Amino acid sequence: MTSHYEKVVHGIICPLNSTSQELSYEDHNLWLLDDRLAFYTYFNSDKRMNSQVGGETTSTDRPDITLLDVSLGFQSEDANQPITIVEFKRPKRDNYTFADNPISQVRSYVEQFRGAREAVKFDGTPLRTISADTPFTCHIVADITDSLISVMRQLGQFSQRAGTSSYYWWDANYKIFIEISSFREVLNSAKARNQAFFKHLGID
């Protein structure tokens, strides 16, 4: 039942066990998390790490969503293009520990990508290089419970966005920007962004 709740939230944002090669823009709702995610042309949803990176990794970890390739005016061979990782957690979960938490989880994913030095497409063809300086953005969608707040205090220096229940931190040691928001906060933010846009266009 625990994984069921996570999969429901995940499925609302993006179909599970898929890549951007199989989906059109209308098939996912990545814009709910961040409008800028519309610029990514290659992403994986619920795919094993060993199908996303080059080299000899045997990792069977399955990041929820990884967005690897920026397109349009941003496309280049630059290894310093950002990579985005999205991780979902069960709503109301309140049993996080120093050893089991989403912050350590996304750090592990980043280290695996950097260790592989290359991201690949679903068919194994090279997609992009990854260097020690490649920046990562990690969106964690999880209710802000007491145990999660405790872990945030132990592992980083998170700041709360004014007027929200969203927290963020630039993890300089790992070169990761981490943002943690509840699914309700994600929806409220998306609604606010689009209401302002519609009002500007005179169709509010």
Side-chain angles (χ1 to χ4, degrees):
M1 184 65 73
T2 296
S3 62
H4 171 72
Y5 289 124
E6 293 174 28
K7 289 179 179 178
V8 168
V9 173
H10 186 156
I12 290 172
I13 302 295
C14 187
L16 281 78
N17 196 28
S18 63
T19 73
S20 54
Q21 302 297 104
E22 308 159 44
L23 303 173
S24 66
Y25 182 81
E26 293 76 18
D27 293 329
H28 64 78
N29 294 302
L30 290 167
W31 61 272
L32 286 172
L33 295 171
D34 189 328
D35 296 323
R36 292 169 293 183
L37 299 187
F39 291 114
Y40 284 80
T41 57
Y42 193 86
F43 58 82
N44 300 283
S45 177
D46 190 41
K47 292 289 188 178
R48 286 187 175 182
M49 183 65 76
N50 58 13
S51 71
Q52 301 187 45
V53 299
E56 301 297 325
T57 181
T58 58
S59 173
T60 57
D61 287 347
R62 301 177 79 101
D64 285 333
I65 301 174
T66 55
L67 299 104
L68 303 173
D69 186 31
V70 179
S71 183
L72 301 179
F74 304 99
Q75 191 166 17
S76 72
E77 296 299 321
D78 186 0
N80 288 324
Q81 288 184 25
I83 290 175
T84 297
I85 297 174
V86 182
E87 188 66 27
F88 300 101
K89 292 302 170 188
R90 174 174 57 85
K92 299 184 180 180
R93 178 176 169 180
D94 196 16
N95 63 344
Y96 298 107
T97 66
F98 186 80
D100 178 17
N101 64 81
I103 301 166
S104 297
Q105 192 173 8
V106 296
R107 279 175 166 176
S108 174
Y109 295 153
V110 170
E111 289 295 277
Q112 290 180 62
F113 273 113
R114 290 207 177 110
R117 299 185 180 180
E118 181 182 60
V120 300
K121 294 184 178 181
F122 69 98
D123 59 1
T125 58
L127 177 65
R128 59 168 296 169
T129 58
I130 302 172
S131 76
D133 294 322
T134 297
F136 282 76
T137 296
C138 296
H139 293 272
I140 297 170
V141 181
D143 283 345
I144 311 300
T145 54
D146 290 344
S147 63
L148 184 54
I149 290 174
S150 175
V151 168
M152 283 193 282
R153 288 172 177 164
Q154 295 176 66
L155 294 179
Q157 297 178 343
F158 284 86
S159 299
Q160 185 173 2
R161 291 192 186 280
T164 74
S165 58
S166 177
Y167 293 78
Y168 65 93
W169 174 46
W170 168 247
D171 184 349
N173 288 334
Y174 286 80
K175 295 186 176 68
I176 310 171
F177 181 80
I178 302 176
E179 183 163 6
I180 304 177
S181 305
S182 68
F183 187 58
R184 182 179 295 277
E185 187 66 46
V186 168
L187 291 177
N188 288 342
S189 176
K191 183 178 179 181
R193 294 196 311 270
N194 286 283
Q195 280 183 334
F197 177 67
F198 293 155
K199 184 176 182 179
H200 178 72
L201 294 177
I203 55 175
D204 187 23

